[in-house]
Amino acid sequence: MPPETTPMMQQYLRMKELHPDCILFFRLGDFYEMFNEDAKLVSKELELTLTSRDRGKPEAQRTPMCGVPYHSADAYIARLIAKGYKVAICEQMEDPALAKGLVDRDIIRIITPGTVMTSSMLEEGRNNFICAVYRDSAGTGLCFCDISTGECSVTSFTGPEADEHLYNELGRFTPREAMLSDGAYSDGALVDFLVKRLDCRCENGGEARFRLDAARTAAEKQFSAGLDALPAGDDAALQAVGGLLSYLYETQKTDLSHLSTLTYFTTGQFMELDLTARRNLELTETMRSREKRGTLFWVLDKTKTSMGRRLLRSSIEQPLLSVNAINRRLNAVTELTLNSILISELAAALDGVYDLERLMTRVVYGNPPVKDMIALGATTARLPAIKELLGEVQCALLREIEQNIDPLEDVARLIGSAIDPDSDIPLKEGGVIREGYDKQLDEARHLSKDIRGILAEIEEREKDATGIRTLRIGYNRVFGYYIEVSNSFKDQVPAHYIRKQTLTNAERYITEEIKELEERVLHAQQEAIDRAAELYEQVRATVAAELPRIQQTAAAVAGLDMLCGLATVALNNNYCCPTVDLSDEIEISEGRHPVVEQLLDGVPFVPNDTKLNNRENQIAVLTGPNMA
């Protein structure tokens, strides 16, 4: 097919050439359009009508095209991302009405399976990880990031068991997208594992993206503590971090300041389970139907927030190995179980808490939906009560959580005073900002909304001042606003009235006040729109600047929610607190399988004893179904 030669089509082809691996959403007015092979692909995948440009040409020379409305594009993009595609958003960078010639356009963001942030594209209680794998002869570096929450962690492996550790960690995090160095991408078994076992989109990032010097510079600039988290000399881990940052900078094209903390973890911190063991244990999804029901996660999940649910899932997938850490958690759950009133009060307080982690990501990212700002305000308003409820807790973990919850009263106050959650006028039409928050905006709204009332006031004032009882103020498209005086009163017209039109029975005039009012009215609506947008951005920027406080609070609230949920399960199911130590004994008296018990639907579970150690009871042979 010969290429189109129109300036707009040339612009499209230039953008497409820069991003050949992406479906290009090209903004044209109120639509995002796709052309050529992208149009055919999207038409097929989303079952949309395929049309064409230049219908006057022979069919073989027409340009296939397919479009979606810009205001509902997220739903279409979500479906493409779910199928593993990447989408590049090419936006109009200037108002088409003011553009001279071709509208300036540019790629503002590339959306990939591992970098989605729109709430409709994410599962609330599950992380959405992207990873980078760097491999050379010295070792393997592995970095994970959930851009929607700001979590970023890294590790590395060396020696003969490096591959086993790598696969186990990939199975634990189950990334949606992986960026691989040449050394990693050349490993066919690794690529197969990611694509076929984890359903992960794989991409060769090349070696340049993982350069050590660039990685060090990027990491030191990105993370608040620089490279303090990384062991000295761990180049593989650092290069994995650098490779991932390089890709995120390239695709997101905006501020990533919410990625402020880098966590280094080692294989000894958590119990390491391979993918087969995870699936057979049915920790978070069943083997057959991949459902939550029938899993350990299903039994334990009594959380009230998305943040708490993600933390619980993560905790189940990475069991603690430290006896001290385990007992800290057990002590907290025990204290809560001994105070059922506190659990009930905390559950009620947490029930209205929105996803602070993901809300703040969208706030920092820029231009968050108004509903996100309202949700953030509602959540921060609940924090003081939650903190107060924890005022008398005793155990170390709960005290630590209480200390880390910042009541954020200044943030709640700002959002509450600025944003009107009941506004029936959208932000793009000058709404959302609460009346009384800004004098300039109130005046602009008053003019645009109440022009009839203002004109009636002027009309009454002019009647009183002139004594002309038939005086009236009118409007037409030719002259705009005018004062009309019947001929019988024209001798009483003040000198400052300016004659505009003569009619058979009347004269029409304007005054400087009317002219100024008309100009103000014409600009009032746009002024209200611009001012509302300006104020909303001020609020967003002020809230975004409090990111560290809010992230710390979000982590604390998530931890509290998980512990309250575990305490609720313990009380409801009559669980006892285990004694965990460093001995070689496992002794369970009248043990019940937590999942099978819940699936029996009222039938009593027959408990079993278990006694194992490294001496006379090293093995037990059980007969019966596999789950025994």
Side-chain angles (χ1 to χ4, degrees):
M1 180 189 300
E4 285 280 355
T5 56
T6 64
M8 186 278 292
M9 201 62 199
Q10 290 173 7
Q11 186 184 51
Y12 170 85
L13 293 171
R14 283 196 302 273
M15 297 294 177
K16 180 63 183 175
E17 188 177 358
L18 292 172
H19 302 281
D21 60 337
C22 298
I23 295 171
L24 185 60
F25 271 47
F26 190 80
R27 180 73 178 270
L28 280 177
D30 290 338
F31 283 80
Y32 285 114
E33 298 286 356
M34 287 131 276
F35 299 101
N36 300 329
E37 295 307 312
D38 280 0
K40 295 178 183 177
L41 174 65
V42 171
S43 172
K44 178 182 176 182
E45 292 285 9
L46 302 185
E47 299 178 348
L48 298 176
T49 302
L50 183 68
T51 60
S52 63
R53 289 172 57 83
D54 302 318
R55 295 186 182 179
K57 292 184 178 181
E59 188 171 345
Q61 296 180 17
R62 295 176 188 172
T63 302
M65 65 183 292
C66 175
V68 299
Y70 84 95
H71 55 78
S72 58
D74 281 350
Y76 296 101
I77 294 171
R79 290 167 62 191
L80 292 171
I81 296 301
K83 293 173 180 284
Y85 294 106
K86 295 168 64 174
V87 175
I89 307 297
C90 183
E91 194 56 78
Q92 294 171 166
M93 306 306 289
E94 58 182 336
D95 186 341
L98 303 176
K100 296 180 179 179
L102 184 66
V103 176
D104 184 33
R105 293 180 176 87
D106 202 359
I107 305 293
I108 62 165
R109 190 183 169 208
I110 298 171
I111 305 173
T112 71
T115 62
V116 297
M117 283 194 290
T118 306
S119 57
S120 60
M121 300 184 199
L122 293 164
E123 186 178 335
E124 282 188 356
R126 187 183 211 128
N127 283 101
N128 189 71
F129 287 110
I130 181 173
C131 77
V133 183
Y134 175 80
R135 174 179 280 175
D136 61 17
S137 58
T140 299
L142 180 60
C143 183
F144 294 97
C145 178
D146 182 346
I147 193 173
S148 72
T149 64
E151 297 173 52
C152 201
S153 52
V154 63
T155 190
S156 64
F157 318 106
T158 56
E161 296 181 345
D163 276 3
E164 181 183 352
H165 293 314
L166 171 63
Y167 282 47
N168 290 344
E169 293 303 336
L170 289 170
R172 173 160 74 93
F173 282 88
T174 57
R176 292 283 314 281
E177 185 174 7
M179 175 63 54
L180 310 181
S181 69
D182 283 345
Y185 196 77
S186 62
D187 183 345
L190 174 59
V191 174
D192 277 353
F193 177 80
L194 285 163
V195 174
K196 296 178 181 177
R197 298 291 302 279
L198 301 184
D199 194 25
C200 173
R201 189 185 194 283
C202 244
E203 189 162 326
N204 184 0
E207 287 303 298
R209 194 184 291 283
F210 293 85
R211 281 197 345 264
L212 182 60
D213 55 343
R216 181 174 285 107
T217 300
E220 287 177 343
K221 181 180 179 182
Q222 182 65 45
F223 300 108
S224 55
L227 301 180
D228 293 352
L230 292 183
D234 193 341
D235 291 347
L238 178 55
Q239 285 170 274
V241 173
L244 188 54
L245 286 176
S246 169
Y247 183 66
L248 293 178
Y249 294 154
E250 179 182 295
T251 56
Q252 302 312 291
K253 301 179 184 294
T254 191
D255 180 20
L256 294 174
S257 60
H258 67 294
L259 304 181
S260 58
T261 303
L262 179 65
T263 303
Y264 184 85
F265 66 95
T266 63
T267 53
Q269 285 178 257
F270 308 105
M271 184 182 294
E272 197 169 315
L273 302 170
D274 64 29
L275 188 62
T276 301
R278 290 178 185 281
R279 290 187 172 171
N280 281 299
L281 288 169
E282 296 187 313
L283 297 176
T284 59
E285 61 181 30
T286 57
M287 288 183 66
R288 291 187 179 181
S289 57
R290 304 190 73 173
E291 293 178 329
K292 178 182 176 183
R293 177 180 166 79
T295 66
L296 181 61
F297 183 45
W298 168 67
V299 174
L300 298 181
D301 183 18
K302 300 299 179 189
T303 56
K304 298 295 184 181
T305 73
S306 300
M307 300 178 292
R309 199 163 301 121
R310 286 195 298 272
L311 181 60
L312 175 63
R313 179 190 287 270
S314 174
S315 299
I316 292 171
E317 290 176 333
Q318 51 181 23
L320 293 169
L321 290 178
S322 164
V323 171
N324 288 336
I326 292 169
N327 283 321
R328 265 168 57 89
R329 185 183 291 171
L330 289 174
N331 290 340
V333 173
T334 299
E335 181 172 342
L336 289 169
T337 59
L338 296 174
N339 193 339
S340 57
I341 294 176
L342 177 60
I343 291 180
S344 298
E345 291 175 334
L346 285 170
L350 289 166
D351 203 23
V353 170
Y354 291 91
D355 196 336
L356 267 180
E357 292 175 330
R358 285 180 170 165
L359 286 173
M360 277 307 294
T361 294
R362 293 194 286 272
V363 167
V364 171
Y365 208 78
N367 197 28
V370 173
K371 64 182 179 63
D372 283 354
M373 199 67 79
I374 293 170
L376 187 61
T379 295
T380 51
R382 283 181 169 267
L383 295 175
I386 294 172
K387 187 176 180 71
E388 186 177 351
L389 285 171
L390 294 173
E392 296 183 7
V393 293
Q394 299 299 313
C395 74
L397 183 53
L398 289 175
R399 286 204 309 272
E400 185 179 298
I401 286 172
E402 187 275 333
Q403 290 166 5
N404 284 336
I405 293 178
D406 187 321
L408 299 171
E409 290 163 319
D410 53 331
V411 175
R413 192 161 47 246
L414 171 64
I415 296 174
S417 64
I419 308 299
D420 180 4
D422 301 318
S423 174
D424 56 359
I425 302 172
L427 180 64
K428 64 182 180 181
E429 294 178 15
V432 172
I433 302 299
R434 194 182 291 277
E435 186 175 352
Y437 180 72
D438 180 75
K439 183 178 179 182
Q440 181 183 338
L441 176 60
D442 288 347
E443 289 178 352
R445 284 173 174 170
H446 179 63
L447 270 175
S448 59
K449 285 181 182 178
D450 303 327
I451 182 61
R452 288 185 179 178
I454 295 171
L455 290 172
E457 290 175 7
I458 295 175
E459 185 176 291
E460 287 303 311
R461 193 178 70 233
E462 291 299 315
K463 282 181 179 179
D464 291 341
T466 62
I468 303 173
R469 62 177 184 274
T470 61
L471 180 150
R472 73 178 188 88
I473 294 180
Y475 173 84
N476 67 32
R477 292 185 178 181
V478 178
F479 297 109
Y481 294 105
Y482 57 80
I483 297 174
E484 184 173 296
V485 177
S486 61
N487 286 340
S488 57
F489 287 95
K490 66 181 181 181
D491 291 341
Q492 295 176 232
V493 170
H496 65 277
Y497 278 28
I498 304 167
R499 183 182 285 109
K500 197 69 177 176
Q501 185 182 19
T502 299
L503 303 178
T504 304
N505 298 316
E507 297 281 351
R508 288 177 175 173
Y509 303 87
I510 59 170
T511 65
E512 287 299 323
E513 181 184 18
I514 294 287
K515 282 174 62 179
E516 289 174 9
L517 176 63
E518 183 175 358
E519 289 178 7
R520 288 168 60 203
V521 168
L522 291 173
H523 292 92
Q525 187 173 11
Q526 189 60 48
E527 183 183 353
I529 292 169
D530 293 345
R531 184 60 178 164
E534 180 185 351
L535 293 168
Y536 187 74
E537 169 56 22
Q538 288 175 8
V539 173
R540 184 209 67 81
T542 303
V543 173
E546 304 305 325
L547 176 68
R549 294 168 60 201
I550 297 174
Q551 283 184 325
Q552 172 188 296
T553 300
V557 170
L560 176 64
D561 186 26
M562 182 183 77
L563 293 172
C564 285
L566 293 175
T568 300
V569 174
L571 287 172
N572 292 347
N573 298 349
N574 194 28
Y575 292 163
C576 65
C577 180
T579 299
V580 180
D581 56 28
L582 292 172
S583 70
D584 66 352
E585 305 235 1
I586 295 177
E587 185 171 346
I588 302 173
S589 177
E590 297 189 354
R592 295 130 54 198
H593 191 296
V595 180
V596 175
E597 182 181 49
Q598 295 302 312
L599 291 171
L600 287 176
D601 196 21
V603 178
F605 184 93
V606 179
N608 296 283
D609 295 345
T610 304
K611 291 187 178 181
L612 294 170
N613 55 41
N614 284 332
R615 297 179 301 280
E616 65 276 7
N617 296 318
Q618 294 188 35
I619 189 168
V621 178
L622 303 178
T623 60
N626 290 338
M627 60 79 186

